[in-house]
Amino acid sequence: MTTETTPSPLKNDRFLRALLREEVDRTPMWMMRQAGRYLPEYRKTREQAGSFMDLCRNTELACEVTMQPLRRYPVDAAILFSDILTIPDAMGLGLRFVAGEGPVFDNPVRDKAAIEKLGVPDPEDELKYVMDAVRAIRKELDGSIPLIGFAGSPWTLATYMVEGGPSKDFARLKAMMYSDPATLHTLLSTVAKSVTSYLRAQIAAGAQAVQIFDSWGGALSDENYREFSLNYMQQIVSELPREADGRRVPVILFTKGGGQWLEDMADTGADALGIDWTTNLGNARRLVGDKVALQGNMDPCVLYAGEAAIRSEVRKVIDSFASGVHLSIEPGKTGHIFNLGHGIHPGIKPEAVEVMFDEVAKYG
Ligand code: CP3
């Protein structure tokens, strides 16, 4: 008798295996924002769709842009094409993307009354377009590589919902945190319930791993990070189904700027942590031991440099991870997934990305 489940057929499962620290033949790789504006074919499809949200809502085109980077690069995972702001949009905040400004909410929530009115969206109703995209992409992938689903962390979503768009200092949200923490907890709790039901639906629709993007958790003090961000991510992790199709569905937590909380993040029950470039991967590995796999962490700006620098930086990332691997860990079972430390920038050349993935495939 074994407690291991029988994996469903997947031609390349090294990403899922590495997330569980199982043996792999080489370091698996993918890239945050791998479908996006740095690709000319993406810009063309986006134009065809009209707006960014029209692209997310169009099943066929959302599937098409998910596949675009896979035609160029030998990545080991696909990521659902959508956005973290679909949830607040479905809550009625009215999302628009304004050129040069980024996401804007027409109806931000800034007081107790507005926050208490928020409901949890039904993922197979208001957010059905996302689940339809997951189902279409799984069909198109046809068992070649796994599909990652995702959501924003409650704290990160709250920054946009309260500020009404991108913010440098999160002044409104932090004012609420310090003057009326109970109202902020009401907001975070509703958003956490929404994220849980959204990710559960993505897993039911076919997502084979999920990542929670906590892009702005790093703006919090140590104490506030635990209370207002980690706490809610932990709640979400504990309520996700961890198996689908006879296979474990790994959960990845990514707090940008979260280097000082890695041990606490590893204790949430997540399978893997995303690491940005400010943290040394070997040190991270020593801190979390064998609890979780690690994903990351090359500075996206390396991709503005020439081929020799890109190859050298890729090797440094892989070597830095190896430096933290304890001798007792069997070779091949190290649990590293190569990625950037944050999303790729629109101004980077697709050829630079090709060099990066080529080096990972050779050296990893
Ligand atoms: O990684 C992928 O390829 C999957 C798709 C994906 C997008 N956004 C597509 C997108 C994912 C995983 C996200 C996550 C996301 N969205 C985050 C967390 C990750 C991070 O970068 O920290 C955040 C904070 C958002 C919110 C958001 N969406 C912003 C701030 C912006 C505008 C920023 C910009 O680059 O202009 C978006 C728009 C967005 N989401 C684009 C894409 C490809 C660009 C839209 C366009 O085509 O103009």
Side-chain angles (χ1 to χ4, degrees):
M1 273 286 285
T2 160
T3 51
E4 253 171 57
T5 50
T6 321
S8 60
L10 191 54
K11 281 170 213 122
N12 168 358
D13 66 354
R14 59 167 81 86
F15 170 67
L16 294 181
R17 296 182 61 84
L19 285 171
L20 302 178
R21 286 158 293 118
E22 293 172 359
E23 192 167 350
V24 287
D25 56 346
R26 71 156 166 82
T27 306
M29 58 198 188
W30 70 282
M31 175 173 80
M32 291 189 274
R33 292 277 176 102
Q34 65 189 16
R37 281 168 298 180
Y38 75 103
L39 291 177
E41 58 270 35
Y42 169 85
R43 296 196 295 269
K44 208 171 147 205
T45 310
R46 185 188 183 288
E47 201 172 311
Q48 191 189 335
S51 70
F52 172 70
M53 284 310 288
D54 288 336
L55 177 53
C56 293
R57 289 202 175 92
N58 184 317
T59 310
E60 196 190 319
L61 296 184
C63 181
E64 162 60 21
V65 293
T66 303
M67 304 305 289
Q68 285 170 351
L70 316 185
R71 295 182 194 126
R72 282 182 182 257
Y73 315 118
V75 289
D76 299 296
I79 179 160
L80 161 69
F81 187 81
S82 189
D83 199 80
I84 63 166
L85 301 177
T86 52
I87 288 183
D89 182 55
M91 288 173 153
L93 273 68
L95 175 62
R96 286 184 294 126
F97 282 87
V98 180
E101 227 180 294
V104 172
F105 284 116
D106 288 327
N107 317 304
V109 286
R110 291 183 178 157
D111 54 35
K112 194 168 174 216
I115 284 169
E116 281 178 347
K117 271 195 218 120
L118 293 174
V120 174
D122 179 344
E124 284 291 356
D125 184 0
E126 295 100 310
L127 291 160
K128 182 167 177 289
Y129 68 94
V130 179
M131 307 311 146
D132 287 342
V134 171
R135 288 183 277 262
I137 297 162
R138 269 298 299 273
K139 201 164 158 213
E140 189 70 25
L141 286 170
D142 194 25
S144 52
I145 51 175
L147 174 63
I148 307 167
F150 69 90
S153 75
W155 167 260
T156 291
L157 292 177
T159 67
Y160 292 97
M161 295 171 76
V162 173
E163 300 295 336
S167 166
K168 280 207 175 72
D169 49 17
F170 313 111
R172 281 195 183 90
L173 179 63
K174 284 191 171 179
M176 185 190 290
M177 177 174 78
Y178 290 114
S179 61
D180 185 7
T183 294
L184 179 53
H185 277 303
T186 305
L187 173 61
L188 293 170
S189 167
T190 306
V191 175
K193 282 183 198 132
S194 307
V195 169
T196 303
S197 110
Y198 184 60
L199 287 178
R200 291 179 74 97
Q202 286 185 29
I203 292 167
Q208 289 149 298
V210 294
Q211 175 159 327
I212 300 176
F213 286 90
D214 185 27
S215 307
W216 309 124
L220 287 166
S221 71
D222 178 42
E223 186 190 346
N224 287 338
Y225 174 74
R226 291 165 208 278
E227 178 173 347
F228 295 98
S229 188
L230 187 66
N231 192 21
Y232 290 96
M233 292 198 285
Q234 155 116 62
Q235 199 173 303
I236 294 163
V237 172
S238 72
E239 287 171 19
L240 291 180
R242 300 306 276 280
E243 215 187 276
D245 256 345
R247 186 157 192 155
R248 186 161 173 94
V249 181
V251 180
I252 309 162
L253 291 189
F254 171 60
T255 291
K256 180 158 180 284
Q260 65 167 319
W261 299 297
L262 298 179
E263 287 158 289
D264 310 85
M265 292 171 78
D267 285 334
T268 58
D271 299 279
L273 306 182
I275 309 288
D276 71 35
W277 62 89
T278 61
T279 294
N280 176 286
L281 272 187
N283 290 341
R285 166 50 77 214
R286 278 186 287 274
L287 277 176
V288 302
D290 290 351
K291 270 189 198 156
V292 286
L294 297 176
Q295 175 177 282
N297 69 343
M298 196 172 85
D299 183 348
C301 290
V302 169
L303 297 171
Y304 290 115
E307 173 162 355
I310 295 171
R311 290 192 187 275
S312 151
E313 292 297 321
V314 165
R315 291 194 295 267
K316 275 193 215 165
V317 166
I318 292 167
D319 290 342
S320 82
F321 180 86
S323 76
V325 175
H326 194 271
L327 289 174
S328 68
I329 298 177
E330 287 173 57
K333 289 195 181 182
T334 56
H336 179 214
I337 297 98
F338 183 91
N339 204 314
L340 297 176
H342 199 201
I344 185 173
H345 306 172
I348 288 167
K349 291 196 183 69
E351 295 73 26
V353 176
E354 194 174 325
V355 170
M356 173 182 78
F357 284 135
D358 180 66
E359 191 61 31
V360 181
K362 283 188 183 135
Y363 190 75

